[in-house]
Amino acid sequence: MFEQEVYLNLYNYIGITLATLLLGYLYCRYKISYWKKRGVSQFRKTNLIFGDYKNGILFRTAPGYHLAELYHEAPENVPYIGFYIFHKPCLLLKEPNIIKQILIRDSKNFNDRYFAGSPQKDSFGMKNLFGLKNPTWKYVWSKTVPTFGQKNVRQMVPLMMETGEPMMEFLRNEPANDRGVKIIDAQDLNYKYGADLIGNIALGVKTDSFKYPDSDYTKFLMSFFRGFKRMIALVTVFFMPKLVEIFGRKILFDSTFLQNIFQKSIKSREESGGKRGDYVDSIIELKNDKQNPLWKFEGENLFFQSGLFFSGLESSVTTATVVLMELAQNKEYQDRARKDVKKAVAEHGWSIEAFDNMKFLDLCIAEGVRLYPPVVHLDRCTRQDYKVPDTNLVLKKGTPIFVSVYGLHTDPKHFENPRSFIPERFSDPANLNDAYFPFGGGPRMCIGKKIGQMHVKVVLSRILAEYEMYRNPEEMYDVDRRSTFTASANGVNIEFKPLKKCCN
């Protein structure tokens, strides 16, 4: 009798387990058939648990670059394709006309980004123009855009030049090998310059990450740029925002250290009444301006605005690094860029007018952000149901929309020899085609474009004016699989050789 009861319980347990597995399987199959039931192409080998994003979620591929892999795996003739992050149905756009329709012409319905979740709990990275949702976004945009205008860029150029002095001093003092060259990690060089520029412009403090690489500030900023926890936070924010809503700040990057520096800087500046032409001046003006109950520029909200600078300057760090790398691998382009820099400086000195006249350097930067876009994807979220023009597809409210910038930029349909660095392709404005989105598109495109480009030009021009560079073109650029943005996993070693000084 006892044995019969044991066997019966065992059979019941096996039956319940099999039934649970079957129900789980059927549930997963149902969830990943969302696009198929709506007549939208989707991938055939969707994982029952991870959806189509398994390699990105497990860091087998850099998360943003995995989206580009999906772009290139999709059938060539489809304007969009459905995919899943876990069981969340998302739409990947491929056709530039549809992308422009959504980002620009119908932007009112797509003004919100998908990432960060509805509560916007990542206060430092998200509670600014980068992540705010409407109607707050529109108000903050109207108040913040002027702080990134040409007048402010002009005021920041001397600060960028000042910040570059420790970098140049570091390059001059680094010992050369027996061939007279200095082998330096250009990515690390740019991260340190970026850290000091953030301090000088966004936080209102002077730092020297080259002379004091072990300072609390520099170590914190290096962790901000490259720390594994922040990389986990970014992947979660961008691709799994529901987890942010569930776990809150525990899963995100702690910016308390920077917030304390910022608050002390604001207090000191207000007490002294002085001005430096940095972003802190602009923040104080916003604080003293008339406030709107929708969003008040006070308390933590002031600090949140500096987060926009951090993200933007981080993108500039990547751009400066990859353009240095490509110039080091191509002597012809390097020589042309150096001639461009020296001619502009000879005519205008180290001024904003000189930087505005470095036209070939502009082409190099434009090509750099095409081939290595710092932000490799764009995302939006439908605010209301939306019928895609000239199709029968109706996107339900809340549907995440993705654009693979790297996918578009490396598509031979849009760019000839897409994997090659060819600055001349942008000498004709017509080549800035509809598939070129290095700064986003529509109302939510990057408002810090001018400041970011100036940052890059200052770094490149200062180095080109004093050094020849070389890097083996066969050497790989390995994208960090942990990073949502473009970054090298192993640095970018470049040979720097001082230019011979003219004797006349």
Side-chain angles (χ1 to χ4, degrees):
M1 189 69 179
F2 175 74
E3 289 183 355
Q4 288 180 339
E5 186 174 342
V6 169
Y7 283 126
L8 182 61
N9 288 337
L10 180 61
Y11 292 147
N12 287 338
Y13 175 78
I14 293 173
I16 291 171
T17 301
L18 292 175
T20 301
L21 291 174
L22 178 61
L23 288 173
Y25 172 81
L26 293 175
Y27 172 80
C28 291
R29 295 298 304 175
Y30 169 77
K31 295 295 287 185
I32 62 174
S33 65
Y34 177 89
W35 291 118
K36 185 177 181 180
K37 288 185 292 185
R38 284 158 179 77
V40 176
S41 297
Q42 65 176 58
F43 296 97
R44 293 181 179 179
K45 297 182 179 180
T46 301
N47 185 277
L48 290 175
I49 304 299
F50 295 98
D52 297 299
Y53 231 78
K54 182 177 180 179
N55 287 345
I57 292 169
L58 299 180
F59 296 109
R60 294 174 180 173
T61 308
Y65 281 80
H66 181 62
L67 196 66
E69 290 183 354
L70 295 180
Y71 174 98
H72 288 295
E73 288 174 15
E76 188 175 335
N77 61 338
V78 299
Y80 44 73
I81 188 167
F83 73 102
Y84 304 88
I85 299 177
F86 290 109
H87 295 151
K88 180 67 177 179
C90 308
L91 193 70
L92 176 61
L93 304 180
K94 292 191 64 188
E95 172 55 48
N97 287 334
I98 292 179
I99 295 172
K100 288 184 68 177
Q101 183 74 37
I102 285 177
L103 294 185
I104 300 172
R105 291 185 283 274
D106 293 331
S107 61
K108 285 186 178 180
N109 195 36
F110 295 93
N111 257 344
D112 288 343
R113 300 188 192 275
Y114 170 60
F115 65 69
S118 55
Q120 299 292 318
K121 291 185 179 179
D122 179 12
S123 56
F124 179 55
M126 298 299 110
K127 287 192 175 180
N128 51 49
L129 284 184
F130 198 57
L132 285 174
K133 300 181 185 297
N134 275 299
T136 307
W137 174 85
K138 188 173 182 179
Y139 170 72
V140 175
W141 179 87
S142 68
K143 302 294 289 186
T144 309
V145 162
T147 68
F148 289 86
Q150 188 66 19
K151 174 186 174 183
N152 286 41
V153 174
R154 179 179 290 274
Q155 291 177 338
M156 291 178 188
V157 167
L159 296 176
M160 292 181 181
M161 292 293 293
E162 176 185 85
T163 305
E165 285 306 318
M167 177 184 72
M168 299 308 297
E169 196 65 25
F170 168 80
L171 286 172
R172 295 174 192 130
N173 291 336
E174 274 294 283
N177 62 19
D178 55 3
R179 293 187 293 115
V181 301
K182 309 175 182 193
I183 301 176
I184 294 170
D185 180 355
Q187 181 167 261
D188 183 67
L189 185 84
N190 275 290
Y191 274 136
K192 288 176 179 174
Y193 175 85
D196 290 342
L197 191 60
I198 284 171
N200 209 352
I201 290 181
L203 299 176
V205 296
K206 290 185 179 182
T207 60
D208 187 343
S209 297
F210 295 94
K211 190 173 183 179
Y212 304 106
D214 294 323
S215 70
D216 290 342
Y217 174 82
T218 302
K219 287 194 291 186
F220 184 90
L221 261 291
M222 292 304 106
S223 176
F224 175 84
F225 286 136
R226 304 302 307 279
F228 184 65
K229 181 177 180 181
R230 179 172 180 261
M231 292 182 177
I232 291 289
L234 287 173
V235 172
T236 306
V237 163
F238 277 106
F239 299 107
M240 296 169 281
K242 289 297 179 183
L243 292 181
V244 181
E245 295 182 22
I246 295 170
F247 295 105
R249 292 177 184 262
K250 292 180 181 179
I251 205 168
L252 300 172
F253 188 79
D254 184 2
S255 58
T256 304
F257 177 81
L258 293 179
Q259 190 166 351
N260 290 336
I261 294 176
F262 179 80
Q263 289 173 343
K264 289 178 182 177
S265 181
I266 291 288
K267 182 179 179 182
S268 173
R269 189 74 56 84
E270 287 185 313
E271 290 176 349
S272 69
K275 290 192 174 184
R276 296 180 67 240
D278 58 10
Y279 195 58
V280 174
D281 289 345
S282 299
I283 289 291
I284 291 174
E285 288 180 10
L286 289 173
K287 177 186 176 184
N288 294 331
D289 200 2
K290 183 178 179 181
Q291 300 296 314
N292 187 316
L294 195 63
W295 177 272
K296 294 184 179 181
F297 290 95
E298 60 185 25
E300 285 189 333
N301 283 358
L302 291 175
F303 174 65
F304 299 156
Q305 303 319 300
S306 68
L308 195 65
F309 248 96
F310 276 67
S311 300
L313 293 182
E314 184 175 6
S315 297
S316 302
V317 162
T318 295
T319 301
T321 299
V322 296
V323 176
L324 278 174
M325 177 184 74
E326 288 292 346
L327 293 179
Q329 294 173 170
N330 190 304
K331 189 176 187 308
E332 178 191 350
Y333 291 148
Q334 183 183 154
D335 289 344
R336 288 177 64 182
R338 182 176 295 108
K339 182 178 179 181
D340 189 43
V341 168
K342 289 193 171 184
K343 181 175 183 291
V345 174
E347 292 179 4
H348 304 282
W350 288 101
S351 65
I352 191 169
E353 288 77 18
F355 292 117
D356 287 343
N357 279 278
M358 297 176 186
K359 301 303 182 183
F360 185 73
L361 199 58
D362 284 332
L363 301 185
C364 293
I365 294 169
E367 178 68 340
V369 295
R370 181 199 66 81
L371 190 53
Y372 307 93
V375 179
V376 292
H377 78 275
L378 310 175
D379 71 295
R380 298 290 188 270
C381 190
T382 50
R383 302 187 70 199
Q384 301 295 333
D385 290 358
Y386 175 80
K387 183 178 182 298
V388 179
D390 301 321
T391 74
N392 295 320
L393 175 61
V394 176
L395 300 176
K396 297 297 183 183
K397 176 182 177 181
T399 301
I401 308 295
F402 286 87
V403 175
S404 174
V405 177
Y406 185 68
L408 286 166
H409 287 188
T410 52
D411 189 335
K413 285 197 309 183
H414 306 306
F415 298 95
E416 187 177 353
N417 297 322
R419 307 281 180 172
S420 298
F421 183 82
I422 309 172
E424 294 97 336
R425 76 169 80 240
F426 291 114
S427 58
D428 182 354
N431 288 332
L432 287 167
N433 64 41
D434 291 343
Y436 187 66
F437 291 99
F439 306 104
R444 295 203 75 143
M445 74 181 297
C446 177
I447 67 168
K449 173 183 174 181
K450 291 181 180 179
I451 291 176
Q453 288 182 315
M454 188 60 67
H455 163 188
V456 174
K457 291 176 87 167
V458 168
V459 172
L460 296 179
S461 60
R462 292 298 304 274
I463 292 175
L464 284 166
E466 293 192 32
Y467 292 91
E468 287 184 321
M469 299 173 292
Y470 175 77
R471 185 176 188 266
N472 186 346
E474 301 299 320
E475 195 171 341
M476 293 293 294
Y477 178 84
D478 294 322
V479 175
D480 193 334
R481 291 181 296 176
R482 306 169 303 165
S483 179
T484 304
F485 303 121
T486 298
S488 171
N490 303 307
V492 180
N493 286 334
I494 291 177
E495 294 183 2
F496 290 79
K497 185 176 182 179
L499 291 169
K500 293 180 179 178
K501 294 184 179 180
C502 184
C503 55
N504 55 5

